Amino acid sequence: MELLLATAIGLFTAAGLYLILRARTFPVVLGLTFLSYAVNLFVFVAGGVRVGAPPIVTGAPMTDPLPQALVLTAIVIGFGMTAFLIVLAVRLRRETGTDHVDGAP
Amino acid sequence: MSDARLLVLIVLLPFAGVMIPALLARRSRTTIAWASGVVPLAAFGLLVHLGRRVFAGEVITASRPWIEFLGLEIAFRLDGLAMLFAGLILAIGLLVIVYARYYLADEDPFGRFHAMLLGFMGAMLGIALSDNLLLTAIFWELTSLSSFLLIGYWSHRPDARTGARMALAVTGMGGLALLAGALVLGNIGGTLSISDLNLQGEAIRAHPQYPLALVLILLGAFTKSAQFPFHFWLPNAMAAPTPVSAYLHSATMVKAGLFLMARLYPTLAGSDLWFWMVGGTGLATLVFGAWVALTRHDLKGLLAYSTISHLGLITLLLGLGSPLAAVAAVFHIINHATFKASLFMAAGIIDHETGTRDMRRLGGLWQCMPITGVLAMVAAASMAGVPLLNGFLSKEMLFAETLALSGAGVAGYVVPLVATLAGVFGVAYSMRFIHDVFFNGPPKEFDRVPHEPPRWMRIPVEVLVVLCVAVGVAPAVFVGPLLHVASGAVLGGPVPSFSLALWHGFNLPLAMSLVAMVAGLALYFQLQRGGRLHAMTPGGWSGHRVYDDLVRLVVRLGEWFTGLAMAGGLRRQVAVLLATSFVAGIAPFVIADVPDRMFVFQTPMDPVAVTGWIVAAVATALVVAMHRQRFAAVILTGAVGLVVAGAFAHFSGPDLALTQIVVEVATVLLMLLALPHLPAVGALDSSALRRFRDAAFAIVGGVAMGGGAWWMMTRGGTTVSAEQAALSVPGGGGTNVVNVILVDFRGFDTYGEITVLAVAALGIVAMLSREPYSSPRPADAPLMLTLLARILLPFGLLVAVHLFLRGHNLPGGGFVAGLVTAATLVLIPLVAGRAFAERAIRIDFHRVTAAGLAIAGGTGLGAWAFGKPFLSSAHGHLDLPILGDLHWASAALFDLGVYLVVVGVLMLVLQGLARVVPRDTATGPGTR
C-alpha cells in the first residue's frame, strides 16, 4: 500500500508541476490543485498508513491525529487560495483581454 | 489608583492620545491642538504628583511579566533620571504642540502631525521609564519609526523623504546593534532588568564579553545621538517641519542615546574602554560639530551641527567617568534642551516670517521683530556660554572636569585644549546666528514683510528663555534638587557635593571661558569680513556620501539578483523557485545522516485501493493531456479529488474525507462558474521543446516527491502527537482528537487560518467589485434538478447542524459543517427560483464572516477574564431538563466562529462570481 500512495503522490506532483509551468492561467490553477493533493497526501501519510483506526478516542489503537489536523486546515486554506487564483484569473482576462500568465501573450 | 498604575498611565496616555486627532477630524485646528495638548499636560500632572515621592528619595516601579522565557517584562521605573527625561519630553512636547498650531500652513495635514507627535512622545516616554532592556529596545525602534514619519511629514518633498529614510536607516541599524548588545548584556548579567544590571557593574565589566556588549550598545547610542561618524543623518533630518526639529533634536530623539548611556552608567562606565570610546567619540563630535556649524548658511543647518556638537559635549562628560562629570552631563542635558528648543522655534519664526532660512539672504531683522530678536539673543548667548545664563554653568563644569584629567598623560592636555577650541567655535556660531540674522546691514528685501509672529507662537519661546535665565541666575533654587536626584540615579550611588553657584572666583575654567569668548568673537568677525564666510561651500568627505554609496551598492546588488532570477516572465520565475526548493529538499539527504529503512510494506494492498489508484492515475494523465479542453479538465480534476477523499477515508482520516469531498464540490463549482469568463479552449503556445523540458522538470519533481514519501513511509519512528491523543479527553473534553487539536490545542493556529480565509474572501470581493452585476438570469434550472434540490436543501442544513454538534467527539466540526451549509445554501436559487432567492437571501455574508471572526477571537479573549492565556479552553457537564446531561466545551464556541467564517467566505466567493456577467473580451489569439 505504501507503494501505491508514494506513486500517487509522485504522479500528482508531476502533473501539478507540468501544469503550473503552462502559459495560461487556467492550467496553472489546476496544477496548484494537483500540487495540493500531493502535499496533503504527503503530510497525511507522515502519520503512518493505517486502515480502520480513526483518531477518535475509544480505547482501540488509533492513527496519528496531528497530521490530519494540519491537512484539514490545509485543505480549507487551499480552497481559499484556489478561489483567489480563479477570481484573479477572471479579473486578469477582463483587464488585459488575455489569459496568459504574463498578462500578454 | 496606585502609584504603579499611574506610572504606566503616563506611558499609555500619549499612545491613547494618538486617536484624538482622528476623533476630532472635523473640528478646527485650534480644537485639535488644545485637545492634543491636554495629553502631555495630564501626563505631566501625573509626573509631578509621583515626583514628590521621587524627590523624597523613593523609586516607583511597576512590572508585570510579558514573555517570561525571553526575560521580557513590562517593567517601568521612575527615579530621578527617568523623571527628568519624562519631564523634558512632556514639557517641551506641550510647548511644541502650542507652537505648531501657528507654524503649520493651512494645507499641511494637521491631525496627522499631532497623531504622529503623540505616538513619538509615547515611545520616548517608554524609553525614559523602561526598566527592561528588551522593552527599551522595543520603544527605541518605535522612536525610530515614528521619527521617520515625523521627519518625512512633508512627504511631497524629496529632501524630506531622503532625510527620513536616512534617519531610519542609521538609527534603525543602531537599534539592531542595541538589541544585540542588550542580549549580550543580559547573558552576562543573567537578567535584562536595568536596575538589577546596574547593581552588578563590577562583575559585568570584568566579564570577557563586556567589550562586545559595550561596543554594540554604544553603536546604538551613538547612531541615535548623532555622534561622529554617524552624525550625518541629523542635518538631513532638518527637512522636517521646525516644530519637529525643535522636539526631536533638542529634548528627545537625539537625547535617547545619551539617556541610554546615563541609564547604564553604573553597569558600563568606569572602564578604560568606556573612557576612550565614549570620551574620544564625544570629544571628536564636540569640536567637529562646532566647526561645521560655523560654516553652515542655513539657520537650521547651523543649529543641527551645533546640536551634534553639544551632544558630543555631553557624551564627552559621560565618558570622563568621574562623578562630577556625570552631574555636569545631566545638567547640560537640561540646559541644552531649553536653549536649543527655543532657538529652533526662533529659527522657525524667522523662516515663517521671511520665507527663508538662508543667512546669506537674511539680515537686519532687528528692526522688524525686536522681541523675537531679544529672545533669540538670550538663547544664543546661553548656547555660547555667556554668564548669567544656564549654558554658562554647565560649560564651566565641563572645563573644570577636563582640567581634572591633568594626571592622565596626553589626554590631560589634549582634552582641555580641544574643549576650549570647541568653545571658541561655539561662541562664533552663536554670534553668527544673531549677527547674520538680526544685524549685519540694513533689512533686506523678502517675499513678504516680516513682523512679529502671533502671540501664541512666541509664548513657548518665552517660557524656555525665561527658564534659561532663571536657571542661569539662581541654579541652586530652580534646578538644584532635580539635578541632585537625577545625578543620583545616574551614578547609582552617592552624589558628590557640587556647588551650583554663579561665581566660583577667578580660576582656570573661567579663564578658558574668557578665552573662548574673546577668540570666538574675533574669529567670527574675522571670517565675516569681506564676505568670506558667506562664500564658503561645504565639501570633501562626509558620512553622507559614504551612506549614499552604500545605498547605491545595495540597490545595484538587488537589481543584479532580480535580473538573474526574475527576468523572462512568470514561468521562468516559477521554474527558479521550484529548482530552489528541489535543491533545498535534496540537501538534507546529502549532508546529514539519515536513518536506515525499517520495512518495505507494512500495510497490504487491497483491491479497493488499487482500483482507486487506477482511476486517479488515468484521470490525472487525461487532465495533463487535455488540459486545454477546460470543461473536461475540471470534471476530471474533480474525479481525482474524490479519489483523494476516498484515500483519506480508507486510511483512517474520516474528518479529512468529509472536508475533501465538500471542498472538491465547492472547487468544481467555482471553476465552472469561472469558465464562462475564460476561453473555453486554451491556446497552444508552448513549443514542443518547451513542453518536453517542462515534462522532464515535472518528472524529476514527481520522482523526488514520490521517493520522499516512500522514504518517509518506510521508516517508522516516534511522533510528537501521543501526548495530544492522551490529553484529548481530559484536557480538551472531546474524543475527536483532530477536532480537539484544531479548536483547542492549536486553536491559535486555526484562528490565524480562518483570518487568512476571510482576508482571501475580501480580496476576491474587492477584485469583483468593479465588475458589472447581472440581474437574475432568465433561464430557469431543469425540473429534475429543482426537484432534487427541494429534497436536498432541508436535509443538507440538518446534516450540517448534525456534523457541527458532534464534531468535538466524532468526525465533523466547524470546517466541515460550514462547507456543507454553504454548499446547501447555494441550492436555494434552484429551489425557489433566482428571483425569489435574490429577495429572500438578504444575509450580508460580510457580516457573517466578521461575526465568525469576532466570536472565535472573543472566545479566545474570554480566557483572559479567567486569568488564563489567550484561547485557553474550559469544558464540563451541564444538566439540562429535557436534553439531559450535556457535555459542553468553550471550544465549541470557537468552533462556531470557525463555522461562520467558512460559511461567510464560501458564500461571498460563490455569490460574487456567480453574479458577474460574462463579458466577451475575446481579442487575443487562441480564444474561443
Side-chain angles (χ1 to χ4, degrees):
Chain A
M1 206 72 99
E2 281 82 3
L3 192 65
L4 283 186
L5 282 165
T7 45
I9 290 171
L11 195 62
F12 294 156
T13 307
L17 289 181
Y18 182 78
L19 287 172
I20 64 169
L21 288 168
R22 300 300 88 212
R24 303 287 162 169
T25 50
F26 199 74
V28 172
V29 175
L30 291 180
L32 281 170
T33 310
F34 272 93
L35 277 183
S36 299
Y37 294 152
V39 173
N40 287 345
L41 274 178
F42 188 96
V43 176
F44 176 66
V45 299
V49 185
R50 307 277 291 270
V51 178
I56 309 284
V57 180
T58 53
M62 61 181 193
T63 185
D64 195 339
L66 188 63
Q68 295 200 12
L70 297 180
V71 171
L72 203 149
T73 44
I75 294 173
V76 180
I77 289 281
F79 170 76
M81 184 192 68
T82 310
F84 193 88
L85 274 177
I86 291 173
V87 175
L88 190 64
V90 169
R91 183 92 198 141
L92 176 80
R93 173 96 196 291
R94 297 236 167 185
E95 295 279 325
T96 64
T98 168
D99 62 341
H100 194 285
V101 288
D102 287 331
Chain B
M1 270 202 273
S2 71
D3 282 355
R5 293 206 169 182
L6 292 179
L7 179 59
V8 179
L9 195 60
I10 293 180
V11 181
L12 292 184
L13 266 178
F15 286 118
V18 171
M19 291 302 296
I20 290 179
L23 296 175
L24 299 174
R26 290 167 190 283
R27 301 302 183 83
S28 77
R29 298 179 149 224
T30 311
T31 315
I32 297 179
W34 283 111
S36 307
V38 166
V39 173
L41 198 61
F44 194 77
L46 289 176
L47 191 70
V48 170
H49 171 72
L50 297 178
R52 287 176 311 178
R53 282 180 59 191
V54 176
F55 276 118
E58 288 181 65
V59 172
I60 300 167
T61 57
S63 73
R64 97 189 335 255
W66 184 1
I67 305 177
E68 283 173 66
F69 74 99
L70 290 180
L72 179 55
E73 263 188 321
I74 302 180
F76 295 110
R77 171 189 163 92
L78 186 70
D79 60 3
L81 181 67
M83 181 177 72
L84 166 65
F85 259 86
L88 283 177
I89 291 161
L90 289 168
I92 297 194
L94 179 62
L95 296 177
V96 164
I97 286 174
V98 173
Y99 176 83
R101 159 67 187 86
Y102 298 92
Y103 177 84
L104 292 177
D106 290 340
E107 62 271 16
D108 292 329
F110 201 65
R112 196 195 301 168
F113 175 84
H114 282 94
M116 295 187 313
L117 194 78
L118 288 174
F120 175 78
M121 186 185 287
M124 276 309 300
L125 285 172
I127 293 183
L129 298 176
S130 157
D131 192 26
N132 182 291
L133 266 184
L134 272 188
L135 193 65
T136 303
I138 291 171
F139 282 117
W140 192 275
E141 291 297 302
L142 271 180
T143 60
S144 293
L145 287 176
S146 49
S147 66
F148 166 78
L149 293 172
L150 281 168
I151 295 169
Y153 175 71
W154 284 323
S155 52
H156 56 278
R157 284 177 28 183
D159 60 335
R161 295 196 299 266
T162 319
R165 267 204 306 271
M166 193 183 290
L168 181 67
V170 176
T171 61
M173 303 244 209
L176 290 179
L178 168 68
L179 180 63
L183 295 177
V184 175
L185 199 55
N187 199 29
I188 299 174
T191 172
L192 283 163
S193 154
I194 295 174
S195 19
D196 290 349
L197 283 171
N198 277 345
L199 293 177
Q200 39 179 322
E202 293 262 332
I204 288 173
R205 286 192 295 277
H207 195 278
Q209 282 183 347
Y210 162 75
L212 178 65
L214 180 66
V215 168
L216 286 171
I217 288 179
L218 287 182
L219 268 179
F222 287 171
T223 47
K224 199 77 157 184
S225 284
Q227 295 297 298
F228 181 84
F230 308 112
H231 61 280
F232 55 88
W233 68 265
L234 199 149
N236 283 290
M238 289 299 139
T242 301
V244 172
S245 308
Y247 195 38
L248 263 59
H249 304 136
S250 68
T252 54
M253 167 97 158
V254 295
K255 292 276 172 70
L258 304 176
F259 172 81
L260 187 74
M261 287 190 275
R263 181 85 283 180
L264 292 171
Y265 190 84
T267 309
L268 298 177
S271 66
D272 278 354
L273 189 62
W274 168 276
F275 175 80
W276 289 109
M277 277 194 71
V278 179
T281 308
L283 191 68
T285 310
L286 166 67
V287 69
F288 167 82
W291 166 249
V292 180
L294 182 56
T295 65
R296 295 287 121 161
H297 305 305
D298 176 13
L299 267 183
K300 282 178 77 176
L302 184 153
L303 291 177
Y305 276 98
S306 137
T307 300
I308 292 172
S309 167
H310 281 270
L311 295 168
L313 190 161
I314 300 166
T315 307
L316 170 62
L317 280 169
L318 288 169
L320 290 178
S322 69
L324 265 178
V327 176
V330 174
F331 194 22
H332 200 68
I333 285 173
I334 306 175
N335 296 338
H336 178 250
T338 47
F339 68 67
K340 193 53 63 67
S342 52
L343 282 172
F344 268 117
M345 290 180 185
I349 292 176
I350 292 159
D351 185 15
H352 192 256
E353 295 299 325
T354 63
T356 179
R357 299 189 319 232
D358 190 337
M359 279 181 281
R360 289 168 296 191
R361 294 181 50 210
L362 289 163
L365 283 180
W366 177 251
Q367 287 165 20
C368 322
M369 35 207 310
I371 304 177
T372 308
V374 170
L375 294 172
M377 261 186 246
V378 176
S382 176
M383 174 161 78
V386 172
L388 286 180
L389 296 164
N390 56 359
F392 168 73
L393 297 170
S394 41
K395 206 164 244 188
E396 280 299 83
M397 287 166 95
L398 166 75
F399 288 151
E401 284 309 306
T402 58
L403 290 171
L405 278 177
S406 54
V410 186
Y413 302 99
V414 172
V415 178
L417 279 177
V418 177
T420 314
L421 184 64
V424 172
F425 296 150
V427 171
Y429 68 67
S430 303
M431 191 63 213
R432 182 172 186 197
F433 188 93
I434 298 305
H435 181 256
D436 235 356
V437 172
F438 293 99
F439 304 99
N440 202 13
K444 297 188 178 160
E445 292 291 315
F446 300 107
D447 307 341
R448 48 196 116 154
V449 182
H451 44 68
E452 290 289 348
R455 170 125 198 78
W456 279 100
M457 196 165 173
R458 224 172 48 210
I459 281 182
V461 191
E462 289 167 358
V463 171
L464 290 165
V465 166
V466 165
L467 276 175
C468 288
V469 178
V471 172
V473 174
V477 178
F478 287 100
V479 84
L482 180 62
L483 188 54
H484 194 272
V485 288
S487 310
V490 173
L491 295 168
V495 183
S497 65
F498 55 89
S499 102
L500 283 177
L502 205 49
W503 181 250
H504 287 111
F506 285 106
N507 53 14
L508 211 46
L510 188 66
M512 288 162 82
S513 281
L514 283 176
V515 168
M517 208 65 70
V518 175
L521 291 179
L523 174 69
Y524 171 69
F525 286 106
Q526 186 65 28
L527 281 175
Q528 192 61 281
R529 244 196 310 171
R532 266 191 296 167
L533 190 56
H534 286 187
M536 279 174 119
T537 45
W541 183 89
S542 67
H544 186 167
R545 206 172 299 165
V546 176
Y547 168 86
D548 278 348
D549 287 346
L550 271 177
V551 169
R552 226 170 291 138
L553 184 72
V554 171
V555 170
R556 215 171 295 153
L557 265 175
E559 281 170 351
W560 169 79
F561 186 75
T562 313
L564 195 74
M566 317 238 328
L570 204 57
R571 285 199 275 175
R572 167 110 170 256
Q573 294 175 35
V574 171
V576 169
L577 269 178
L578 290 175
T580 312
S581 46
F582 181 78
V583 171
I586 291 295
F589 290 89
V590 181
I591 56 181
D593 290 333
V594 292
D596 290 332
R597 194 169 67 191
M598 290 166 63
F599 43 78
V600 180
F601 300 109
Q602 194 184 32
T603 326
M605 285 205 207
D606 59 58
V608 180
V610 174
T611 317
W613 189 93
I614 292 171
V615 171
V618 171
T620 306
L622 282 174
V623 171
V624 172
M626 47 192 291
H627 67 84
R628 296 190 298 115
Q629 308 295 324
R630 291 176 171 178
F631 182 78
V634 169
I635 302 302
L636 286 167
T637 305
V640 176
L642 290 181
V643 173
V644 172
F648 287 145
H650 192 66
F651 298 111
S652 314
D655 276 294
L656 295 189
L658 278 173
T659 314
Q660 177 73 45
I661 288 173
V662 192
V663 161
E664 211 47 59
V665 171
T667 309
V668 168
L669 206 59
L670 204 66
M671 287 185 180
L672 291 179
L673 282 172
L675 277 185
H677 306 279
L678 295 169
V681 180
L684 177 66
D685 45 8
S686 295
S687 63
L689 176 70
R690 177 150 211 156
R691 274 178 286 157
F692 181 75
R693 210 177 59 198
D694 290 350
F697 208 91
I699 288 168
V700 171
V703 168
M705 185 90 161
W710 170 253
W711 187 91
M712 183 177 70
M713 280 186 281
T714 50
R715 279 154 186 79
T718 51
T719 64
V720 295
S721 53
E723 188 193 10
Q724 289 177 331
L727 275 176
S728 180
V729 177
T735 54
N736 181 359
V737 189
V738 173
N739 184 269
V740 172
I741 291 176
L742 283 177
V743 299
D744 194 336
F745 297 162
R746 291 173 54 84
F748 198 53
D749 200 17
T750 307
Y751 184 59
E753 267 157 328
I754 57 175
T755 311
V756 171
L757 261 191
V759 172
L762 283 184
I764 289 169
V765 169
M767 278 196 283
L768 292 173
S769 65
R770 280 197 285 157
E771 299 294 337
Y773 275 168
S774 67
S775 50
R777 271 182 238 166
D780 268 326
L783 186 65
M784 273 305 287
L785 211 55
T786 312
L787 277 174
L788 253 176
R790 265 173 217 269
I791 302 168
L792 277 175
L793 179 64
F795 277 107
L797 291 177
L798 205 62
V799 167
V801 173
H802 175 68
L803 284 173
F804 179 80
L805 284 182
R806 70 176 214 168
H808 213 45
N809 292 311
L810 290 166
F815 274 119
V816 181
L819 291 167
V820 172
T821 307
T824 314
L825 287 181
V826 172
L827 293 176
I828 291 182
L830 290 179
V831 174
R834 192 174 275 271
F836 171 79
E838 296 268 321
R839 268 182 285 118
I841 310 184
R842 291 216 174 269
I843 304 169
D844 182 351
F845 286 99
H846 286 97
R847 284 167 193 265
V848 175
T849 312
L853 276 181
I855 289 175
T859 314
L861 289 177
W864 280 0
F866 301 97
K868 297 275 178 57
F870 186 67
L871 275 173
S872 302
S873 72
H875 62 96
H877 288 268
L878 210 62
D879 208 15
L880 290 181
I882 300 164
L883 293 167
D885 179 46
L886 198 73
H887 185 202
W888 63 273
S890 71
L893 203 59
F894 181 79
D895 213 14
L896 180 66
V898 173
Y899 168 80
L900 288 177
V901 172
V902 173
V903 172
V905 166
L906 241 77
M907 292 308 288
L908 279 177
V909 173
L910 290 174
Q911 275 189 339
L913 200 55
R915 291 191 345 209
V916 175
V917 193
R919 186 173 54 181
D920 199 27
T921 45
T923 49
T927 46
R928 70 172 90 180

